[in-house]
Amino acid sequence: MRFLLTSFAIVSALASWAQSETTDSTKTTDLKEVVVEGELQETSARKTTFYPTSRQKRASQTGTDLLDHIGIPQLNITPTGSVETNSGRPVAIFIDYLPASQDDLKAMRMADVRSVDYYEFPSDPRFQGNMYVVNYTMVKYEYGGYVKGFGYTNFLTGPIGQLLANARLQYKKMTYDIMGSGFARNSSHEGSELLEKYRFPDKDGNMLAFDRLSNTLSSDQKNRRYFAAFKANYNSEKIQASSQINASLNNMPVSDKSGSVTYFPADFPSSSYSSTLNETSKFISFYGYYFFSLPKKNSLTFTPAYTFSHTDRNTSYLENGFSPIFNNASDNTNQLSGSLRFNHDFGKGGELLASLKSYYDYNRTLYTGSSNSLDRSKSFETNAGVTYSVPFGNFYGTAGVGWIWRHLNFNDSKEISSSPWFDFSLQYGFRKKHSIAAEFHYSTWAPSSNFKSDDVIKSTPLLSYVGNPNLIPFKSYDINLRYTWLPNKNYSFSAFAYAWIVGDRYVYDYEPTPDGILRTIKQPMGGYVQSQYGINGTMRFLNRSLVVYARIAHLLNHNGRPYNVNHSYVNWNVRVRYYLKDWNFAVSYVAPSGSPDGCMVGIWDESKSYWYISAGWANDHWNLKMTCFNLHRWNWRSNLHVMNSPYYSTRQQYYGTSDHALIKLTATYTFGFGKKVKHNGELSVSGEAASGILNK
């Protein structure tokens, strides 16, 4: 008691002295607020790490939005929301080391994101051998859960919208997720104006050369998609196990078009056409992920997957003066895959990853109508390889080599092939601000089973298409160079260059016949080279409230026989974003661009420019955003596709809603409960199995 009284007296005396000093002083000094903020981004030879601010997380509705707000210089977010590298390579998305999809990124709780890491050629076996990876690290919790709803709707282009809900519950080491989503779209503005140039001999052997112009005058299209999934996840220090079941129904009950057909010169009378298409696809799938940390710095990862898909597609084409064309196809597809990866960590000596992946696919496709046939395709592929990664100083290098064995049964034919693959990358990072990287990749790409069909399918009265049972994998060579500079938390820049070379490629070729043009698939054809170089950067001003992003790239493309064409195009875009308390605003412009439509075709795709302005508001639960696109453009013209070959050429102007004036409203609502929900990876939406129906 005496001690307490003595202490109280001392504190009172000090307080009185401090007060008298303040009163007697002739000058007072107000200390300014001091804000201590750590580094928000850093790069090294192994990875680039970003720590999103609360402002960025609150302004983001999805994981993709967050990547856009962060501005990772090595990545490009496409207008459709997919994530790719600056060289156009796909990026695998993980949440706490579990694979994630676009729907998972919509369902994740943004406030729980602790950091975002970008990897190139990671050695971690949990990334399943992907070359480019984004991994979200989430806050760890003890028990509880959260519920999140996501939805959007569009105006000015016809009814379209999506609703998605995800519920998560965790107790101790177990986490359970239930997700459901629905998508609906109605449109009466889909179509095209197609100018075809035909050159083929008639039945008397005389060469005919004429143009055919088909123009869509009316259309009606409806799409519906329903998805449901359940996932159970177990996580401990030594084991991470995840099992997921998905079910989906994709339905296009109506896709009808009608229009006019005109020929120049008028060897055929002008007429009209109508076409119908309805398609239903159902699938159910299972996906498993099991990671085991073993003694002596070893680990084992096993990922099994199975998908069953049933697809029905019915089409008709009627043109005055020609026989009607009816194509009906029914397909059952079974896909079974599994991978096994063993990793050993040598410490400073590096890491060794041995992998074995197998894939089995069985398609049974029945065609009826104008063409009748039954295609049965069984394909089996095994990929075995070893990758070694080693750090030395500021360097990080990886080298991998493996072999792929393929076995294909298509109807009565059998084919066995094998080929090697090789990866090499070298990365150097210093001072957490600079990193450079170079990589080389060689592999082969096997043709899809639907390219193997030798059935002739009639598309229009003058155009048919057929596959090629003798196709073999083509060779692919990739070379990439990158430089990343993060001078401080307000600036980030990246310079990049890449080249893609294809050898022994299989290509669509168009052959003249007395009945018109037959599109075949031939191999080998002329060489294909695609290259690009460019730079992008993000700059932040006014205490990071004002953010400016810009990107410019020069694309070069050579497409050899039978197209023999070269292209060169400069693509660029710029965006300005401003944060004001709970609000955020953005203005973006994307210049017109040109790009090839893959190495198998001769189509050059020219897209239109577009711009948008957006305004968003958010609090702890709600996030609301309105975006206005292309309010100056009220026509329905979109991309232009141009293709030229010796006997058949096309110029196709597409019509649709993608470049029309559009207002989009998006909203999310999230609430959590319990004590620190532990996020061990969001629900992953597995893709459906590709059917064996030969594409038009």
Side-chain angles (χ1 to χ4, degrees):
M1 187 66 153
R2 181 179 299 175
F3 171 76
L4 292 176
L5 292 173
T6 305
S7 300
F8 180 76
I10 294 174
V11 172
S12 300
L14 289 174
S16 300
W17 175 80
Q19 185 176 1
S20 62
E21 285 292 315
T22 304
T23 305
D24 296 340
S25 176
T26 57
K27 293 184 179 180
T28 60
T29 302
D30 294 328
L31 296 178
K32 295 182 179 179
E33 180 184 5
V34 178
V35 178
V36 179
E37 191 175 68
E39 291 293 335
L40 301 177
Q41 57 190 26
E42 60 185 30
T43 186
S44 66
R46 283 181 175 268
K47 65 179 180 179
T48 304
T49 300
F50 298 85
Y51 303 97
T53 64
S54 58
R55 172 191 287 169
Q56 292 170 337
K57 289 187 286 187
R58 176 170 287 195
S60 302
Q61 295 182 322
T62 68
T64 305
D65 283 348
L66 183 58
L67 296 181
D68 195 31
H69 282 271
I70 292 174
I72 299 179
Q74 300 98 321
L75 299 182
N76 179 40
I77 312 299
T78 69
T80 59
S82 61
V83 183
E84 62 184 28
T85 67
N86 286 323
S87 58
R89 301 295 296 271
V91 176
I93 306 298
F94 287 76
I95 301 175
D96 278 336
Y97 302 96
L98 285 178
S101 72
Q102 287 291 327
D103 281 347
D104 304 327
L105 298 180
K106 294 175 183 177
M108 66 189 296
R109 191 179 186 188
M110 306 311 304
D112 291 338
V113 179
R114 191 171 62 183
S115 66
V116 179
D117 296 316
Y118 172 65
Y119 297 83
E120 294 173 348
F121 287 85
S123 60
D124 195 318
R126 292 174 292 181
F127 292 139
Q128 305 181 27
N130 289 285
M131 292 185 290
Y132 310 99
V133 171
V134 166
N135 182 57
Y136 297 83
T137 300
M138 312 300 288
V139 174
K140 302 295 188 290
Y141 293 88
E142 295 181 6
Y143 64 85
Y146 76 90
V147 174
K148 180 177 180 180
F150 171 91
Y152 76 85
T153 185
N154 290 357
F155 298 94
L156 306 180
T157 60
I160 180 174
Q162 181 186 19
L163 291 175
L164 179 147
N166 184 67
R168 164 166 289 194
L169 175 65
Q170 181 179 345
Y171 179 69
K172 295 183 178 180
K173 296 180 180 180
M174 290 299 302
T175 304
Y176 303 95
D177 285 282
I178 298 178
M179 178 190 287
S181 70
F183 170 83
R185 177 177 183 267
N186 295 347
S187 177
S188 58
H189 303 287
E190 306 298 321
S192 68
E193 183 180 87
L194 173 62
L195 176 62
E196 303 168 279
K197 292 183 176 293
Y198 288 88
R199 293 173 287 276
F200 64 90
D202 61 15
K203 296 181 179 179
D204 298 325
N206 300 317
M207 288 296 294
L208 295 176
F210 60 89
D211 296 346
R212 179 180 183 271
L213 176 64
S214 59
N215 189 19
T216 303
L217 299 178
S218 66
S219 69
D220 183 20
Q221 187 177 98
K222 294 179 173 62
N223 302 83
R224 303 290 185 268
R225 179 177 182 264
Y226 307 98
F227 177 84
F230 172 76
K231 177 181 177 182
N233 181 51
Y234 173 82
N235 194 348
S236 68
E237 293 182 359
K238 299 293 184 180
I239 299 175
Q240 189 175 25
S242 175
S243 299
Q244 178 175 329
I245 298 176
N246 305 317
S248 179
L249 170 64
N250 299 330
N251 188 22
M252 183 185 293
V254 176
S255 181
D256 298 342
K257 297 177 183 177
S258 62
S260 62
V261 180
T262 308
Y263 295 88
F264 307 96
D267 295 330
F268 302 96
S270 298
S271 62
S272 60
Y273 79 92
S274 64
S275 67
T276 65
L277 181 152
N278 64 79
E279 179 176 293
T280 301
S281 178
K282 311 168 187 176
F283 84 89
I284 186 169
S285 65
F286 166 81
Y287 177 80
Y289 172 86
Y290 309 100
F291 173 81
F292 306 92
S293 179
L294 305 176
K296 299 181 180 180
K297 297 184 179 181
N298 296 317
S299 67
L300 191 67
T301 308
F302 176 52
T303 55
Y306 171 75
T307 300
F308 172 76
S309 177
H310 176 78
T311 303
D312 290 306
R313 181 188 298 166
N314 304 298
T315 64
S316 68
Y317 183 87
L318 306 176
E319 182 176 336
N320 295 337
F322 295 92
S323 300
I325 301 171
F326 299 97
N327 290 317
N328 306 312
S330 178
D331 175 84
N332 288 327
T333 296
N334 290 269
Q335 290 182 349
L336 178 65
S337 65
S339 66
L340 190 64
R341 293 178 174 85
F342 174 79
N343 180 269
H344 178 72
D345 188 351
F346 294 98
K348 293 183 179 180
E351 294 183 55
L352 181 68
L353 175 65
S355 62
L356 178 65
K357 296 182 290 184
S358 293
Y359 174 86
Y360 172 78
D361 181 278
Y362 174 57
N363 295 100
R364 186 181 184 274
T365 308
L366 176 65
Y367 295 96
T368 59
S370 300
S371 302
N372 296 278
S373 65
L374 174 63
D375 286 342
R376 296 178 302 276
S377 170
K378 295 180 181 180
S379 61
F380 178 76
E381 179 179 299
T382 298
N383 185 339
V386 176
T387 300
Y388 183 74
S389 58
V390 58
F392 42 99
N394 292 325
F395 284 94
Y396 173 71
T398 63
V401 62
W403 206 274
I404 302 175
W405 293 268
R406 302 181 180 94
H407 187 281
L408 175 65
N409 287 6
F410 190 84
N411 293 336
D412 296 328
S413 65
K414 295 183 180 180
E415 177 187 319
I416 299 176
S417 64
S418 65
S419 58
W421 59 265
F422 175 76
D423 287 323
F424 174 79
S425 72
L426 184 62
Q427 303 170 47
Y428 177 67
F430 50 100
R431 296 182 181 178
K432 296 185 179 182
K433 299 181 183 296
H434 305 269
S435 68
I436 57 176
E439 69 183 56
F440 172 79
H441 179 67
Y442 167 78
S443 64
T444 59
W445 291 82
S448 173
S449 61
N450 56 12
F451 293 162
K452 294 275 189 173
S453 176
D454 56 3
D455 301 316
V456 178
I457 307 298
K458 207 166 186 62
S459 175
T460 69
L462 297 174
L463 180 64
S464 303
Y465 50 93
V466 66
N468 183 349
N470 301 315
L471 297 179
I472 62 174
F474 69 69
K475 299 180 177 63
S476 174
Y477 307 86
D478 293 271
I479 303 173
N480 283 277
L481 299 172
R482 294 178 299 280
Y483 168 69
T484 301
W485 180 36
L486 308 178
N488 56 52
K489 65 182 181 182
N490 293 322
Y491 301 96
S492 60
F493 302 94
S494 178
F496 54 91
Y498 78 89
W500 178 36
I501 304 170
V502 177
D504 294 333
R505 68 168 178 153
Y506 40 84
V507 182
Y508 286 147
D509 193 16
Y510 299 87
E511 295 181 341
T513 71
D515 296 323
I517 295 296
L518 178 65
R519 190 199 72 184
T520 65
I521 305 176
K522 291 184 178 180
Q523 185 184 39
M525 298 298 278
Y528 183 89
V529 180
Q530 180 177 315
S531 62
Q532 188 178 45
Y533 62 92
I535 187 172
N536 64 21
T538 300
M539 298 168 287
R540 298 172 175 86
F541 309 96
L542 303 179
N543 195 26
R544 300 173 62 87
S545 296
L546 179 64
V547 183
V548 180
Y549 168 84
R551 168 190 165 95
I552 185 169
H554 183 200
L555 176 68
L556 301 167
N557 180 252
H558 168 72
N559 196 334
R561 188 169 59 92
Y563 305 111
N564 296 313
V565 64
N566 297 311
H567 287 104
S568 172
Y569 215 101
V570 175
N571 308 306
W572 63 275
N573 60 283
V574 63
R575 179 178 61 252
V576 179
R577 177 176 283 121
Y578 184 71
Y579 301 92
L580 180 63
K581 296 182 179 180
D582 293 336
W583 291 84
N584 65 91
F585 307 89
V587 179
S588 181
Y589 176 78
V590 179
S593 65
S595 61
D597 191 19
C599 69
M600 190 177 172
V601 299
I603 294 174
W604 181 255
D605 178 9
E606 295 183 3
S607 63
K608 304 178 74 171
S609 65
Y610 78 89
W611 63 270
Y612 70 81
I613 57 174
S614 67
W617 174 88
N619 61 16
D620 292 337
H621 300 289
W622 284 98
N623 187 306
L624 309 175
K625 183 167 69 172
M626 182 179 72
T627 307
C628 301
F629 297 87
N630 301 321
L631 292 184
H632 70 296
R633 185 179 295 144
W634 292 86
N635 64 71
W636 303 100
R637 288 191 298 273
S638 58
N639 289 25
L640 174 66
H641 283 186
V642 178
M643 187 277 294
N644 293 296
S645 67
Y647 299 103
Y648 179 72
S649 301
T650 62
R651 180 181 177 86
Q652 189 164 16
Q653 173 65 65
Y654 283 91
Y655 296 91
T657 60
S658 59
D659 292 293
H660 187 272
L662 169 69
I663 297 177
K664 182 176 182 178
L665 298 180
T666 311
T668 68
Y669 179 76
T670 310
F671 69 89
F673 53 91
K675 183 181 179 181
K676 293 192 175 181
V677 181
K678 186 174 183 180
H679 285 249
N680 298 318
E682 298 299 322
L683 192 59
S684 177
V685 178
S686 301
E688 66 181 280
S691 74
I693 300 173
L694 181 62
N695 293 323
K696 180 177 176 181

